[in-house]
Amino acid sequence: MGPGAPAPRRTWHPGLRLVSTSPTASGLTISQGRFTLHPKNPAPLFWKIPIAYAEVSPNEKNPAVHNFLLEAHAAPLPEVKPAQTVILNAGDVGYYRVNYDADLLRRLLAIAPQLPVTAKIDMLADTWALVRADRAQVANLIAFIESLRYEDDLPVWARCERHILTLVTIYIGWDWTQAC
C-alpha cells in the first residue's frame, strides 16, 4: 500500500451465511441468517451476500445463471415465478449454506439426477450440515441420496457414501472405519 492509501477494511463474522428460501404468491423470497453448529440460537449477523441462482429443469443441461446481491434480511429473488425450480449457489461460487423450503426441495429432488454435479455435491453438503445443526430432518438427506440411486459420478457417490456410513455409525453403532 502506498502512502496515504486507506487500510483495507477487514471484517470477520463467526459462523457461516445461511440463505433460506420461502415461496410467495408472486415468486420466491430468500432470507439470510447465521449458520452455526453450536450454539443453536446464535446472535444474528447480516452480510451482503452475492447470490448466484439458476432455473433448472430435466431438459436443461447448462442453465443460465443470474446474480443478485442480498443486502437485506430478506428479499424477493428477481424474475423467479412460483412454479419455477431454482438452485441457489449455482456453479458453487458462493460461501454460504442453502436451506430450501419443503416445496422447492421436493421439486429439486424430483429432478436431482439431472442437476449439475456441483449442484448435487452442494446440496448434499448443505443438507448434511443442516441435519447436523438440527435444522433439517435426516429424512431429507436420505430422500436426496435415494433420488441419486442411479448416479454415476464418483465425487457425488463418494459424498453419499460418507454420509450413509456416518449415519450407520450414529444410528446403529457400527464403526465402519474398523471394517475397512
Side-chain angles (χ1 to χ4, degrees), residues 2-169:
R9 184 173 167 217
R10 293 189 176 107
T11 59
W12 180 79
H13 296 302
L16 186 64
R17 300 163 183 92
L18 175 65
V19 177
S20 299
T21 65
S22 55
T24 64
S26 60
L28 188 68
T29 294
I30 57 173
S31 59
Q32 66 167 292
R34 182 175 158 201
F35 178 84
T36 60
L37 290 175
H38 306 287
K40 295 292 183 198
N41 296 309
L45 295 173
F46 297 100
W47 298 267
K48 291 183 180 182
I49 306 174
I51 305 292
Y53 65 98
E55 179 180 9
V56 292
S57 68
N59 304 324
E60 184 66 44
K61 294 293 181 193
N62 296 307
V65 176
H66 305 278
N67 296 296
F68 173 72
L69 184 62
L70 180 59
E71 298 182 272
H73 172 69
L77 205 53
E79 303 172 23
V80 175
K81 305 293 183 242
Q84 286 179 293
T85 303
V86 296
I87 55 171
L88 300 184
N89 202 9
D92 192 32
V93 297
Y95 187 64
Y96 53 88
R97 297 271 182 224
V98 179
N99 187 11
Y100 293 100
D101 64 87
D103 185 52
L104 182 52
L105 181 62
R106 180 188 50 76
R107 293 195 314 262
L108 286 166
L109 292 181
I111 62 168
Q114 290 83 32
L115 292 175
V117 170
T118 56
K120 295 174 195 175
I121 291 172
D122 281 351
M123 286 182 64
L124 283 165
D126 289 344
T127 305
W128 176 247
L130 291 164
V131 167
R132 288 189 62 213
D134 202 24
R135 292 176 180 239
Q137 296 181 1
V138 173
N140 291 357
L141 179 67
I142 293 170
F144 188 42
I145 292 172
E146 170 66 16
S147 73
L148 298 172
R149 66 186 168 274
Y150 300 113
E151 178 65 40
D152 60 1
D153 192 83
L154 184 59
V156 174
W157 262 115
R159 180 73 60 143
C160 290
E161 177 188 40
R162 186 170 67 214
H163 297 328
I164 291 167
L165 291 173
T166 303
L167 289 174
V168 166
T169 301

